[in-house]
Amino acid sequence: MKFAVISFPGSNCDMDMYYAVRDSLNEDVDLVTSDATNLDGYDGVLIPGGFSYGDYLRSGAVARFAPVMESVKEMAAEGKPVLGVCNGFQILTEANLLPGSLQHNTSMEFISDWSKLRVQNNDTMFTDQYEESEVIDIPIAHGEGNYYCDDETLAQLKANDQIVFTYEDNPNGSCDNIAGVVNEQGNVLGMMPHPERAVESILGGTDGLKLFKSLLNHVRS
Amino acid sequence: MYLAQIYVHHKASILDPQGEAVLNALQRLGYDKVDAVKQGKYFEVNIQADSEDEASKVVNDIAKDLLVNHNMESFEFDLKEVAK
């Protein structure tokens, strides 16, 4: 199995994601620059956190036009797994691969902390190693993680079981405590918390590991 | 040549924590007549177009494609004819 971690100018969690796959999952992984024009040969693509293009205009708004995004869209359309974490989530919403938007935290503060998440849907390719309604500890680090969508979109997310993770103690004002959502097809997941920072006990926890293992099982099967 | 002055702001239904923070700061400074603040974005865009209609279409297109997140934001603009 081979994964691609996309490095945009300003990505700063790309190595975290890379090490999570290489050292904790023991799978092949490449860092791929955002100038790349094809992702042939990869089984899944991981879009890491950071401040792509300095968050100019809006978080993720400029990254959406990076050459590699055409290939990311193709992979998403083919049903291959696409995971966006933090700025990766923001990029996926700006690219219209996921519904909703991420706005400033209601507190206006950048929050770097551990957060308790509830697995709302453990029947996805990203979460089937978790128990139903399992509560997990995953770090967050964001200033713009306040998930917003209109009422109609929220109703659709609920009807299709697209809300995958919610916060137990909503840190940022997200509507319905949403921390992560999948697209309707279930192969594109965006989440603000950082599972790649919770894959070894030395990091403070291992609750993120099951996400990567779920993904690996899916790709293998 | 046209100069487009484009104003992007949060939709009324969307929380504007930056505007709230500025409002709180102003009130702390003693500006007790200040009642509400909304923070938005302002763009000046020069457009080579032969008519106001053509320039207007370009503004609407770039707003849709990049400048505005239609999920959360709305926009308005003024157009002025300027020398080349």
Side-chain angles (χ1 to χ4, degrees):
Chain A
M1 300 301 120
K2 197 170 178 188
F3 293 90
V5 173
I6 309 297
S7 281
F8 295 89
S11 294
N12 65 6
C13 305
D14 40 353
M15 293 313 294
D16 297 15
M17 193 73 93
Y18 177 85
Y19 291 131
V21 176
R22 191 189 73 177
D23 299 338
S24 299
L25 213 53
N26 297 309
E27 290 297 321
D28 284 343
V29 56
D30 288 335
L31 274 182
V32 177
T33 76
S34 51
D35 292 333
T37 49
N38 88 68
L39 291 170
D40 295 350
Y42 292 106
D43 299 295
V45 58
L46 312 170
I47 306 181
F51 299 86
S52 56
Y53 301 92
D55 276 355
Y56 289 177
L57 189 62
R58 296 179 304 275
S59 307
V62 182
R64 164 162 83 100
F65 297 101
V68 76
M69 288 307 292
E70 286 306 313
S71 306
V72 171
K73 282 182 185 167
E74 283 167 21
M75 285 184 74
E78 287 164 9
K80 290 186 177 163
V82 177
L83 169 66
V85 168
C86 201
N87 188 222
F89 187 10
Q90 295 162 340
I91 293 168
L92 292 175
T93 61
E94 284 285 348
N96 292 319
L97 288 171
L98 287 173
S101 301
L102 284 311
Q103 46 173 338
H104 282 280
N105 298 344
T106 44
S107 65
M108 281 305 287
E109 287 175 345
F110 187 97
I111 306 170
S112 177
D113 204 351
W114 285 82
S115 64
K116 290 209 182 302
L117 306 182
R118 188 173 292 272
V119 181
Q120 294 290 352
N121 182 354
N122 72 337
D123 188 22
T124 77
M125 64 174 76
F126 302 95
T127 53
D128 64 7
Q129 299 289 303
Y130 292 106
E131 302 298 320
E132 196 182 338
S133 293
E134 186 173 341
V135 174
I136 58 176
D137 269 321
I138 305 285
I140 54 170
H142 59 246
E144 295 175 39
N146 176 356
Y147 183 81
Y148 168 78
C149 63
D150 60 29
D151 292 342
E152 190 187 338
T153 306
L154 185 60
Q156 281 172 359
L157 290 177
K158 287 179 179 170
N160 300 329
D161 267 340
Q162 287 174 254
I163 301 170
V164 176
F165 297 109
T166 53
Y167 299 107
E168 288 291 275
D169 300 298
N170 191 340
N172 53 27
S174 291
C175 73
D176 268 46
N177 305 318
I178 289 172
V181 296
V182 279
N183 63 343
E184 213 173 326
Q185 295 72 30
N187 67 309
V188 179
L189 170 67
M191 60 191 295
M192 288 311 297
H194 289 268
E196 79 281 8
R197 293 188 185 175
V199 292
E200 292 179 63
S201 51
I202 198 171
L203 297 174
T206 58
D207 285 355
L209 204 48
K210 285 184 189 171
L211 187 147
F212 292 97
K213 287 188 170 165
S214 301
L215 192 52
L216 184 58
N217 279 358
H218 171 81
V219 173
R220 277 190 178 143
S221 61
Chain B
M1 175 92 90
Y2 286 84
L3 168 67
Q5 296 172 300
I6 306 171
Y7 306 88
V8 179
H9 40 80
H10 284 91
K11 288 180 181 169
S13 57
I14 304 281
L15 272 180
D16 173 19
Q18 292 187 105
E20 287 289 312
V22 173
L23 172 65
N24 290 338
L26 289 173
Q27 289 179 339
R28 274 202 305 278
L29 285 169
Y31 291 99
D32 50 13
K33 291 190 189 305
V34 175
D35 194 45
V37 177
K38 294 283 178 198
Q39 182 172 328
K41 298 189 183 101
Y42 171 66
F43 301 89
E44 288 186 349
V45 182
N46 287 326
I47 299 167
Q48 305 235 9
D50 296 329
S51 69
E52 196 167 326
D53 277 357
E54 192 190 340
S56 175
K57 184 179 179 312
V58 172
V59 172
N60 279 297
D61 287 349
I62 63 178
K64 175 169 160 284
D65 285 346
L66 180 62
L67 299 186
V68 179
N69 179 327
H70 295 274
N71 200 14
M72 301 191 291
E73 297 170 330
S74 53
F75 75 104
E76 57 216 34
F77 64 93
D78 296 319
L79 272 179
K80 284 182 196 167
E81 196 166 2
V82 292
K84 281 189 183 162

